[in-house]
Amino acid sequence: MRIYDIIAKKRDGKNLSREEIDFFVKGYTAGEIPDYQASALAMAIFIRGMNEEETANLTLAMAHSGDVLDLSDVEGIKVDKHSTGGVGDKTSLVLGPMVAALGAPVAKMSGRGLGHTGGTIDKLESFPGFVTGISKEEFIRNVNTIKIAIAGQTGNLAPADKKLYALRDVTATVECIPLIASSIMSKKIASGADVIVLDVKTGSGAFMKKEEDALRLAEAMVKIGSNVGRKTMAVVSNMEEPLGYAVGNAIEVVEAIDTLKGQGPSDLLELCLCLGSFMVVGAGITDSVEEARNMLKKTIEDGTALEKLRQFVSAQGGDATCIDNTEQLMHAAIEYEFKAEKNGYVKQIICDEVGVSAMLLGGGRETKESEIDLNVGILLHSKVGDYVKKGDVVATFFANDEKKLNNAVKRFENAYIIDDKDIQKERLIRYIVTDEGVNKVE
Ligand code: URA
C-alpha cells in the first residue's frame, strides 16, 4: 500500500477502505508518513468528505493509535464532556468542578486552541505550575480521590489525533464533519469515560456555521459513541457571539473562577447548568435533569464547586492561590479601550473575527511551533442586544506587543456592529441529540 495512492483515491472522491485508513493512521503516528502527505490527505477529506463507515473507521483507528485508558479501577460511572470549539468557551473549567463536587467522576481529555477557537489545555496552563501531561496512573488516582482530572493529549492517548489536530490547525482543514467527529470521538473513546456529553456549537464562532451542519455533526458523534457502547448525547448550542465576556486564556480562567464564585455571565452559567445536568444524570447521581440543575446551582452557592477547583488545580501541580487572587493570573503590559463609534444596539459581534483578534494579540497559534501568550485577551463589556452610547468602552484589549495590538484592533473593528434597531437575541440551546433522536428546544 502507498500513501500516495490513498491521497489520490480520496482526491478523486472515492471511499477509503478500513485497511487504507489504518495504514494512514499507523504510518502518520509512527512518523513514517510526513506532514505534507498527511495535510494533502486531510485536504482531500475536507473537500471530498467521508461516509459514515469511513468516519467510524477513522475514529477507531485514531482511538487505538495509542493507549486506551481502562478506568474500571475508578469507582462510579465516569463522565466526560467535549465542545466542538468556540470563542470564549470556558465551560469545562466551570462545569468540571461543579459536577465533580456532586461526586460524579469527571475524567476528561482536552485539547489546545484550534483555529480561531481556544482550548482548555492552554487555558489551564495559565495557572503557574499546572501540569496537563499527567501520567495514566495520576489521572486515575485523581479521578478516584478528588473526582476530577483533565489531561492533555500527552502520554500516549490518541497520538494520531494529537498530530492531526495540530496539523489541521494550520492547514485550513478544521471545519469538516468527519475530521471533527473522528478527532473528538477518538479522544473520548481513548480516555475511557462511560458517559460522553458533547457541546456542538453553531454560528459564526463555530466550525459549523449552519445549524443543519451542527446537527449532522452531533448526530454523527452520538452514533459513533453509542456504537462503541458509550452513553453519548449532544447539545447543539449557539455560538453567534462569544460565550461570556472574556476571550483569551488567563482572562477566561478568571471569568470561570468568577462564575464559580457566583459572579459569572448568565449565558455561560446557563450552558454549564444544561451540560452539567446531563453529566450528573449520566453519572447516576439523580435521574431528574431538573434536580441535577438545582444540585449544580447549589455547588456554587455553598462554595463546594470553587473548593473543588482548588483541589483540582493543586492536584495537577498548579498554584491554587491564584483562585483567590485572580490578579496573579494575568500579566499584560498594555490595556487598550475600544470605544463605540455611535449610539445604538449591538447588532452583531462576529464571533470568529473576535477569535481571530484574540489570536492576533498572540493568544493563538499561527504555526504548529508558535508559542502562545496566555496573558493577552479581550474583555467585552457589551453583548448582542445591549444599548451603547458613542464613546462607551465596549471592549478592553490586554496585550504585550503594540504591533499585535494594532492588528487585533483592526480586525475587531469589523466584528463589532452597532445598529439603530433593537434586536432579538438568539436562543442559546437549540437541540438535544440522544441515541433515541433529536429534540428541538423551543
Ligand atoms: N475539537 C476537537 O477535539 N477536534 C476538532 O476537530 C474540533 C474540535
Side-chain angles (χ1 to χ4, degrees):
M1 217 176 272
R2 288 196 321 152
I3 185 64
Y4 180 97
D5 299 327
I6 296 173
I7 298 169
K9 192 170 174 189
K10 188 41 83 184
R11 179 199 64 199
D12 296 341
K14 303 202 178 96
N15 296 340
L16 301 180
S17 68
R18 184 155 67 84
E19 291 71 27
E20 287 163 335
I21 290 171
D22 282 350
F23 177 86
F24 161 65
V25 170
K26 282 205 183 90
Y28 185 48
T29 310
E32 289 151 7
I33 295 172
D35 275 352
Y36 53 82
Q37 286 181 313
S39 9
L41 183 59
M43 188 57 85
I45 295 171
F46 186 99
I47 292 167
R48 292 299 198 163
M50 272 185 151
N51 66 21
E52 218 174 81
E53 193 184 337
E54 291 175 286
T55 308
N57 286 335
L58 180 60
T59 308
L60 292 178
M62 293 207 297
H64 292 98
S65 61
D67 298 334
V68 175
L69 272 190
D70 175 4
L71 296 182
S72 53
D73 285 347
V74 179
E75 270 172 45
I77 304 171
K78 280 71 68 185
V79 294
D80 192 354
K81 168 261 164 193
H82 204 90
S83 151
T84 56
V87 178
D89 180 10
K90 65 283 289 175
T91 50
S92 296
L93 303 175
V94 180
L95 65 77
M98 287 166 80
V99 171
L102 293 175
V106 178
K108 175 158 172 51
M109 197 206 283
S110 289
R112 295 195 178 274
L114 186 66
H116 63 276
T117 71
T120 303
I121 290 301
D122 292 329
K123 290 171 201 173
L124 281 171
E125 286 176 355
S126 309
F127 286 107
F130 195 96
V131 179
T132 52
I134 54 174
S135 68
K136 192 158 84 179
E137 292 71 28
E138 254 181 301
F139 185 85
I140 293 176
R141 191 172 56 242
N142 290 355
V143 182
N144 250 331
T145 51
I146 60 163
K147 302 289 177 208
I148 179 166
I150 302 184
Q153 255 171 301
T154 38
N156 198 29
L157 290 177
D161 174 60
K162 187 178 180 215
K163 284 189 81 175
L164 199 55
Y165 186 93
L167 190 74
R168 287 168 55 222
D169 187 24
V170 291
T171 54
T173 49
V174 173
E175 301 89 338
C176 166
I177 292 178
L179 291 177
I180 297 178
S182 56
S183 164
I184 292 181
M185 293 312 290
S186 64
K187 283 193 276 278
K188 301 295 100 177
I189 292 168
S191 55
D194 307 300
V195 173
I196 301 164
V197 175
L198 301 164
D199 179 15
V200 180
K201 307 283 193 192
T202 180
S204 65
F207 294 125
M208 296 294 109
K209 310 280 183 223
K210 292 196 226 127
E211 202 173 89
E212 63 264 31
D213 291 339
L215 195 52
R216 275 175 52 219
L217 175 60
E219 289 179 297
M221 291 195 288
V222 168
K223 197 157 194 183
I224 294 171
S226 306
N227 283 344
V228 294
R230 308 293 171 90
K231 194 163 187 292
T232 310
M233 57 92 54
V235 169
V236 176
S237 71
N238 182 37
M239 196 20 86
E240 272 302 340
E241 64 176 334
L243 191 64
Y245 291 89
V247 181
N249 288 291
I251 195 170
E252 290 194 32
V253 172
V254 175
E255 188 167 72
I257 294 170
D258 288 345
T259 307
L260 289 173
K261 288 179 180 166
Q263 296 146 10
S266 56
D267 56 350
L268 173 61
L269 179 64
E270 176 53 31
L271 187 58
C272 290
L273 290 173
C274 172
L275 295 165
S277 57
F278 290 119
M279 292 167 80
V280 170
V281 169
I285 305 284
T286 165
D287 49 19
S288 152
V289 174
E290 204 43 50
E291 191 183 1
R293 256 183 99 87
N294 291 333
M295 291 166 84
L296 286 165
K297 278 189 195 157
K298 193 144 181 293
T299 66
I300 294 187
E301 286 155 18
D302 64 14
T304 49
L306 192 66
E307 181 51 28
K308 188 54 70 181
L309 179 70
R310 287 193 191 96
Q311 287 177 4
F312 159 60
V313 170
S314 303
Q316 293 194 212
D319 178 1
T321 63
C322 299
I323 295 170
D324 297 302
N325 303 294
T326 50
E327 65 287 346
Q328 288 176 21
L329 281 166
M330 273 190 72
H331 309 277
I334 314 166
E335 275 186 38
Y336 172 85
E337 292 184 335
F338 185 97
K339 296 186 177 155
E341 283 185 347
K342 57 177 183 177
N343 295 345
Y345 293 92
V346 181
K347 180 181 174 202
Q348 203 182 356
I349 306 176
I350 304 172
C351 198
D352 46 1
E353 289 295 300
V354 178
V356 172
S357 300
M359 268 183 80
L360 293 172
L361 281 175
R365 293 177 182 79
E366 295 288 343
T367 70
K368 277 182 16 172
E369 289 72 30
S370 304
E371 285 269 324
I372 61 171
D373 184 345
L374 297 170
N375 293 294
V376 299
I378 302 169
L379 187 63
L380 302 171
H381 300 293
S382 338
K383 301 258 311 245
V384 170
D386 290 348
Y387 186 78
V388 294
K389 291 212 271 316
K390 184 175 175 189
D392 280 354
V393 178
V394 294
T396 306
F397 282 63
F398 296 89
N400 279 319
D401 180 310
E402 283 285 353
K403 200 164 147 218
K404 288 183 180 168
L405 172 65
N406 290 339
N407 289 337
V409 169
K410 225 175 261 151
R411 193 83 187 217
F412 190 82
E413 272 161 10
N414 301 322
Y416 203 89
I417 299 166
I418 297 172
D419 195 64
D420 295 341
K421 285 188 229 90
D422 194 357
I423 98 133
Q424 189 76 30
K425 237 179 155 45
E426 300 207 26
R427 179 179 284 282
L428 179 63
I429 313 286
R430 305 287 181 77
Y431 294 94
I432 310 289
V433 182
T434 65
D435 56 358
E436 284 169 13
V438 176
N439 250 325
K440 190 167 181 9
V441 179
E442 302 292 351

